[in-house]
Each structure stands twice: as C-alpha cells, then as structure tokens.
Coordinates of all heavy atoms in Angstrom, one line a residue:
N1 N -8.3 -6.3 -3.4 CA -8.9 -6.7 -4.6 C -10.4 -6.3 -4.7 O -10.9 -6.0 -5.8 CB -8.8 -8.2 -4.8 CG -7.3 -8.6 -5.1 OD1 -6.5 -7.8 -5.5 ND2 -7.0 -9.9 -4.8
R2 N -11.1 -6.4 -3.6 CA -12.5 -6.0 -3.6 C -12.6 -4.5 -3.9 O -13.5 -4.1 -4.7 CB -13.2 -6.3 -2.3 CG -13.4 -7.7 -1.9 CD -14.4 -8.0 -0.9 NE -14.4 -7.1 0.3 CZ -13.6 -7.3 1.3 NH1 -12.8 -8.3 1.4 NH2 -13.6 -6.5 2.3
W3 N -11.8 -3.7 -3.3 CA -11.8 -2.3 -3.6 C -11.4 -2.0 -5.1 O -12.1 -1.2 -5.8 CB -10.7 -1.5 -2.8 CG -10.5 -0.1 -3.2 CD1 -11.3 1.0 -2.9 CD2 -9.5 0.3 -4.1 NE1 -10.8 2.1 -3.5 CE2 -9.7 1.7 -4.2 CE3 -8.4 -0.3 -4.7 CZ2 -8.8 2.5 -5.0 CZ3 -7.5 0.5 -5.5 CH2 -7.8 1.9 -5.6
Y4 N -10.4 -2.7 -5.6 CA -10.0 -2.5 -7.0 C -11.2 -2.9 -8.0 O -11.4 -2.2 -8.9 CB -8.8 -3.4 -7.3 CG -8.2 -3.2 -8.7 CD1 -7.4 -2.2 -9.0 CD2 -8.6 -4.1 -9.7 CE1 -6.9 -2.0 -10.3 CE2 -8.1 -4.0 -11.0 CZ -7.2 -2.9 -11.3 OH -6.7 -2.7 -12.5
D5 N -11.8 -4.0 -7.7 CA -12.9 -4.5 -8.6 C -14.1 -3.5 -8.5 O -14.9 -3.4 -9.5 CB -13.3 -5.9 -8.2 CG -12.3 -6.9 -8.5 OD1 -11.4 -6.6 -9.3 OD2 -12.3 -8.0 -7.9
K6 N -14.3 -2.9 -7.3 CA -15.4 -2.0 -7.2 C -15.3 -0.7 -8.0 O -16.3 -0.1 -8.4 CB -15.5 -1.6 -5.7 CG -16.8 -0.9 -5.3 CD -16.8 -0.7 -3.8 CE -18.1 0.0 -3.3 NZ -18.1 0.3 -1.9
K7 N -14.0 -0.3 -8.2 CA -13.7 0.8 -9.1 C -14.4 2.1 -8.6 O -14.8 3.0 -9.4 CB -14.1 0.6 -10.5 CG -13.2 -0.5 -11.2 CD -13.6 -0.7 -12.6 CE -12.6 -1.6 -13.3 NZ -12.4 -2.9 -12.7
E8 N -14.5 2.3 -7.3 CA -15.0 3.5 -6.7 C -14.5 3.7 -5.3 O -14.1 2.7 -4.6 CB -16.5 3.6 -6.7 CG -17.2 2.6 -5.9 CD -18.7 2.7 -5.9 OE1 -19.2 3.5 -6.7 OE2 -19.4 2.1 -5.1
G9 N -14.4 4.9 -4.8 CA -14.0 5.1 -3.4 C -12.5 5.2 -3.3 O -11.7 4.8 -4.2
T10 N -12.0 5.7 -2.1 CA -10.6 5.9 -1.8 C -10.2 4.9 -0.8 O -10.8 4.7 0.2 CB -10.4 7.4 -1.3 OG1 -10.9 8.3 -2.2 CG2 -8.9 7.6 -1.0
L11 N -9.0 4.4 -1.1 CA -8.4 3.4 -0.2 C -7.0 4.0 0.3 O -6.2 4.3 -0.5 CB -8.2 2.0 -0.8 CG -7.4 0.9 0.0 CD1 -8.2 0.6 1.2 CD2 -7.2 -0.3 -0.9
I12 N -6.8 4.0 1.6 CA -5.6 4.5 2.2 C -5.0 3.5 3.2 O -5.8 3.0 4.0 CB -5.8 5.9 3.0 CG1 -6.4 6.9 2.0 CG2 -4.5 6.3 3.6 CD1 -6.8 8.2 2.7
M13 N -3.8 3.1 3.0 CA -3.1 2.2 3.9 C -1.8 2.8 4.4 O -1.3 3.7 3.7 CB -2.8 0.9 3.2 CG -4.0 0.1 2.7 SD -3.4 -1.6 2.2 CE -5.0 -2.2 1.4
S14 N -1.4 2.4 5.6 CA -0.1 3.0 6.1 C 0.8 1.9 6.7 O 0.3 0.8 7.1 CB -0.4 4.0 7.2 OG -0.7 3.4 8.4
G15 N 2.1 2.1 6.7 CA 3.0 1.2 7.3 C 4.2 2.0 7.8 O 4.3 3.2 7.5
S16 N 5.1 1.4 8.5 CA 6.3 2.1 9.1 C 7.4 2.1 8.1 O 8.4 2.8 8.4 CB 6.7 1.4 10.4 OG 7.0 0.1 10.2
S17 N 7.4 1.4 7.0 CA 8.5 1.4 6.0 C 7.9 1.4 4.6 O 6.7 1.2 4.4 CB 9.4 0.3 6.3 OG 8.8 -1.0 6.1
S18 N 8.7 1.6 3.6 CA 8.3 1.6 2.2 C 7.7 0.2 1.8 O 8.1 -0.8 2.4 CB 9.4 2.0 1.3 OG 10.5 1.0 1.4
F19 N 6.8 0.2 0.8 CA 6.1 -1.0 0.5 C 7.0 -2.2 0.1 O 6.7 -3.3 0.3 CB 5.1 -0.7 -0.7 CG 5.8 -0.2 -1.9 CD1 6.4 -1.0 -2.8 CD2 5.7 1.2 -2.2 CE1 7.0 -0.5 -4.0 CE2 6.3 1.7 -3.3 CZ 7.0 0.9 -4.2
D20 N 8.2 -1.9 -0.5 CA 9.1 -2.9 -1.0 C 9.9 -3.6 0.1 O 10.5 -4.6 -0.1 CB 10.0 -2.4 -2.1 CG 10.8 -1.2 -1.6 OD1 10.2 -0.4 -0.8 OD2 12.0 -1.1 -2.0
T21 N 9.9 -3.0 1.3 CA 10.7 -3.6 2.4 C 9.9 -4.4 3.5 O 10.4 -4.9 4.4 CB 11.5 -2.5 3.2 OG1 10.5 -1.5 3.8 CG2 12.4 -1.7 2.2
I22 N 8.5 -4.4 3.3 CA 7.7 -5.1 4.3 C 7.8 -6.6 4.0 O 7.4 -7.0 2.8 CB 6.2 -4.6 4.2 CG1 6.1 -3.1 4.5 CG2 5.4 -5.4 5.2 CD1 4.8 -2.5 4.3
P23 N 8.2 -7.4 4.9 CA 8.4 -8.9 4.6 C 7.2 -9.7 4.7 O 7.1 -10.7 5.4 CB 9.4 -9.3 5.7 CG 9.1 -8.4 6.9 CD 8.6 -7.1 6.3
F24 N 6.1 -9.4 3.9 CA 4.9 -10.2 3.8 C 5.3 -11.6 3.3 O 6.1 -11.7 2.4 CB 3.9 -9.6 2.8 CG 3.2 -8.3 3.4 CD1 3.4 -7.1 2.7 CD2 2.4 -8.4 4.5 CE1 2.7 -6.0 3.1 CE2 1.8 -7.2 5.0 CZ 1.9 -6.0 4.3
N25 N 4.6 -12.6 3.8 CA 4.7 -13.9 3.2 C 4.1 -13.9 1.8 O 4.6 -14.6 0.9 CB 4.0 -15.0 4.1 CG 4.7 -15.2 5.4 OD1 5.9 -14.9 5.6 ND2 4.0 -15.7 6.4
K26 N 3.0 -13.2 1.7 CA 2.3 -13.1 0.4 C 2.9 -11.9 -0.3 O 2.5 -10.8 -0.2 CB 0.8 -13.0 0.6 CG 0.0 -13.1 -0.6 CD -1.5 -13.2 -0.3 CE -2.3 -13.5 -1.5 NZ -2.0 -14.7 -2.2
R27 N 3.9 -12.2 -1.2 CA 4.6 -11.1 -1.8 C 3.7 -10.3 -2.7 O 4.1 -9.1 -3.1 CB 5.8 -11.6 -2.5 CG 6.8 -12.4 -1.7 CD 7.4 -11.5 -0.5 NE 8.2 -10.4 -1.0 CZ 8.7 -9.5 -0.2 NH1 8.4 -9.5 1.1 NH2 9.4 -8.5 -0.7
D28 N 2.6 -10.8 -3.2 CA 1.7 -10.1 -4.0 C 1.2 -8.8 -3.3 O 0.8 -7.8 -4.0 CB 0.5 -10.9 -4.5 CG 0.9 -11.9 -5.6 OD1 2.0 -11.7 -6.2 OD2 0.1 -12.8 -5.8
L29 N 1.2 -8.8 -2.0 CA 0.8 -7.7 -1.2 C 1.7 -6.5 -1.5 O 1.3 -5.3 -1.6 CB 0.8 -8.0 0.3 CG -0.5 -8.6 0.8 CD1 -0.4 -9.1 2.2 CD2 -1.7 -7.6 0.7
N30 N 3.0 -6.8 -1.6 CA 4.0 -5.7 -1.9 C 3.7 -5.0 -3.2 O 3.8 -3.8 -3.4 CB 5.4 -6.2 -1.8 CG 5.8 -6.8 -0.5 OD1 5.5 -8.0 -0.2 ND2 6.4 -6.0 0.4
T31 N 3.3 -5.9 -4.2 CA 2.9 -5.3 -5.5 C 1.7 -4.5 -5.4 O 1.6 -3.4 -6.0 CB 2.7 -6.5 -6.5 OG1 3.8 -7.3 -6.5 CG2 2.4 -6.0 -7.9
R32 N 0.7 -4.9 -4.6 CA -0.5 -4.1 -4.5 C -0.2 -2.8 -3.8 O -0.7 -1.7 -4.2 CB -1.5 -4.9 -3.6 CG -2.0 -6.2 -4.2 CD -2.8 -6.0 -5.5 NE -3.5 -7.2 -6.0 CZ -2.9 -8.1 -6.8 NH1 -1.6 -7.9 -7.2 NH2 -3.6 -9.1 -7.2
L33 N 0.6 -2.8 -2.8 CA 1.0 -1.5 -2.1 C 1.7 -0.5 -3.0 O 1.7 0.7 -2.8 CB 1.8 -1.8 -0.9 CG 1.1 -2.6 0.3 CD1 2.0 -2.7 1.5 CD2 -0.2 -2.0 0.7
S34 N 2.4 -1.1 -4.0 CA 3.1 -0.2 -5.0 C 2.3 0.4 -6.1 O 2.8 1.2 -6.9 CB 4.3 -1.0 -5.6 OG 3.8 -2.0 -6.5
S35 N 1.0 0.0 -6.1 CA 0.2 0.3 -7.3 C -0.5 1.7 -7.3 O -1.1 2.1 -8.2 CB -1.0 -0.7 -7.4 OG -1.8 -0.6 -6.3
G36 N -0.3 2.4 -6.2 CA -1.0 3.7 -6.1 C 0.0 4.9 -5.8 O 1.1 4.8 -6.3
V37 N -0.5 5.9 -5.1 CA 0.3 7.0 -4.8 C 1.0 6.8 -3.4 O 0.4 6.5 -2.5 CB -0.5 8.3 -4.7 CG1 0.3 9.5 -4.4 CG2 -1.3 8.5 -6.0
T38 N 2.3 6.9 -3.4 CA 3.1 6.7 -2.2 C 3.4 8.0 -1.5 O 3.9 9.0 -2.2 CB 4.4 5.9 -2.5 OG1 4.1 4.7 -3.0 CG2 5.2 5.8 -1.2
C39 N 3.1 8.1 -0.2 CA 3.4 9.4 0.5 C 4.3 9.1 1.7 O 3.9 8.3 2.6 CB 2.1 9.9 1.1 SG 0.8 10.3 -0.1
Q40 N 5.5 9.6 1.6 CA 6.4 9.4 2.7 C 6.4 10.6 3.7 O 6.5 11.7 3.3 CB 7.9 9.3 2.2 CG 8.9 9.0 3.3 CD 10.3 8.8 2.8 OE1 10.5 8.8 1.6 NE2 11.2 8.5 3.7
L41 N 6.2 10.3 5.0 CA 6.2 11.3 6.0 C 7.6 11.5 6.6 O 8.3 10.5 6.8 CB 5.2 10.9 7.1 CG 3.7 10.7 6.7 CD1 2.9 10.5 7.9 CD2 3.2 11.9 5.9
N42 N 7.9 12.7 6.9 CA 9.2 13.1 7.5 C 8.9 13.7 8.9 O 7.9 14.2 9.2 CB 9.9 14.0 6.7 CG 10.3 13.4 5.3 OD1 11.0 12.5 5.2 ND2 9.7 14.0 4.2
Y43 N 10.0 13.6 9.8 CA 9.9 14.2 11.1 C 9.7 15.7 11.0 O 10.2 16.4 10.1 CB 11.1 13.9 11.9 CG 11.3 12.5 12.4 CD1 12.3 11.6 12.0 CD2 10.4 12.0 13.4 CE1 12.4 10.3 12.5 CE2 10.5 10.7 13.9 CZ 11.5 9.9 13.4 OH 11.6 8.6 13.9
L44 N 9.0 16.2 12.0 CA 8.9 17.6 12.2 C 10.2 18.2 12.7 O 11.0 17.4 13.4 CB 7.8 18.0 13.2 CG 6.4 17.5 12.9 CD1 5.4 17.9 14.0 CD2 5.8 18.0 11.6
N45 N 10.5 19.4 12.4 CA 11.7 20.0 13.0 C 11.4 20.4 14.5 O 10.3 20.2 14.9 CB 12.2 21.2 12.2 CG 11.2 22.4 12.2 OD1 10.4 22.6 13.1 ND2 11.2 23.2 11.1

C-alpha cells in the first residue's frame, strides 16, 4: 500500500505458486498480488 500510494518506483515480488493459490490469512494480499504483471518461470531444458 505504501508503494501504491507513493506512485513511483518498481515493486517486484516472487512466490513458488500463482497469486491465487497462496493461502494467506489476509486474502486481500492475493488481490494485491494479482494487480500487476504476472511472470511465470519455466524449467530450463
């Protein structure tokens, strides 16, 4: 929220699964994680 209100700079977060499957107690966090650009990484060959 501080980053959002500041309206400047880049914020990058990572997790081991998609934002909608992380079992946060605070479900608003899942909504926040869905608000930007999602990048899924795949295994190298």
Side-chain angles (χ1 to χ4, degrees):
N1 288 339
R2 294 200 314 277
W3 169 81
Y4 183 83
D5 292 340
K6 191 177 180 183
K7 293 182 173 54
E8 65 178 9
T10 304
L11 176 61
I12 301 173
M13 297 187 190
S14 80
S16 58
S17 62
S18 60
F19 58 80
D20 55 324
T21 62
I22 302 176
F24 288 119
N25 290 338
K26 192 171 184 59
R27 299 302 292 176
D28 284 345
L29 275 171
N30 300 86
T31 303
R32 297 296 188 273
L33 295 185
S34 71
S35 65
V37 180
T38 298
C39 304
Q40 180 176 2
L41 301 184
N42 297 297
Y43 284 117
L44 302 178
N45 64 29

